[in-house]
Amino acid sequence: MKKLFIIPALALAVAFASCGGESKKATTSENTAPTEETAPVETVPGIENEAISNTISLEGNDQMKFSKDLFRVKAGEPVELNFKNAGEMPKEAMGHNVVILTPGTDLATFGGEAAGAAADEYIPKSSASSIIAHTKLLGPGETDKISFTLEKGVYSFICSFPGHFGIMQGKIVAE
Ligand SMILES: [Cu+2]
């Protein structure tokens, strides 16, 4: 007589276990909702307020400042950058350029290398692999125009004249 009671009890236990297993599986699949397998992207505050444009204009001035420090461009298509030194001070004292650097370039290291490259207008040959594009070093009133194409990413740009990159720096987001 005992057996009759044990068998239904076992069946119930098995049914309960499998039921529990199923509900656990359902929870797991909910938690692993499709996520995009992309590399972590650097977030740039304020970028959502910038319109995408591949023609960009920038000025440097006697206050050692760029007129803008954030640009948003379309990746994979040429970007035209128009740069002007809007100051009046002599080039030897307040020259400006724009150097676009590869993602991950350490600005302090690059700036140090650049400061030692006076003969090359502060474009250091030793860090050439970190440079995507650069303008000429401009004196007062001078302009230069360069073109380059960026893959998706966040790029720093600086003025490499000695002592300027700490303030004269910004970012270009290519998306
Ligand atoms: Cu400068």
Side-chain angles (χ1 to χ4, degrees):
M1 280 300 279
K2 253 187 183 177
K3 264 187 187 171
L4 283 173
F5 287 104
I6 289 164
I7 290 162
L10 263 174
L12 204 72
V14 168
F16 186 78
S18 75
C19 188
E22 260 176 57
S23 77
K24 198 178 179 187
K25 212 186 260 176
T27 308
T28 305
S29 75
E30 243 174 70
N31 289 344
T32 54
T35 51
E36 276 184 52
E37 293 274 325
T38 48
V41 175
E42 185 184 343
T43 52
V44 179
I47 194 65
E48 66 279 3
N49 301 322
E50 298 294 326
I52 294 177
S53 174
N54 280 34
T55 303
I56 61 187
S57 294
L58 186 61
E59 288 185 359
N61 64 20
D62 286 346
Q63 285 70 52
M64 210 197 290
K65 279 185 177 158
F66 279 134
S67 53
K68 206 167 166 359
D69 63 6
L70 191 55
F71 293 98
R72 191 178 184 189
V73 305
K74 198 168 192 323
E77 292 180 13
V79 176
E80 185 183 287
L81 185 151
N82 297 281
F83 181 54
K84 181 181 184 182
N85 181 343
E88 294 177 352
M89 288 171 68
K91 183 177 173 179
E92 296 70 32
M94 190 57 73
H96 300 301
N97 64 11
V98 182
V99 184
I100 293 129
L101 300 166
T102 53
T105 300
D106 184 79
L107 299 191
T109 303
F110 185 89
E113 295 278 326
D120 295 312
E121 295 203 308
Y122 310 110
I123 301 299
K125 289 193 178 98
S126 53
S127 297
S129 63
S130 298
I131 301 171
I132 291 173
H134 68 86
T135 67
K136 287 182 282 206
L137 185 69
L138 304 184
E142 292 181 332
T143 61
D144 193 16
K145 182 164 85 174
I146 58 171
S147 182
F148 50 89
T149 301
L150 302 176
E151 296 309 313
K152 282 184 185 181
V154 179
Y155 301 80
S156 289
F157 67 85
I158 63 164
C159 169
S160 71
F161 192 90
H164 288 197
F165 78 88
I167 299 168
M168 297 187 77
Q169 59 173 266
K171 283 181 173 164
I172 302 174
V173 177
E175 57 189 62

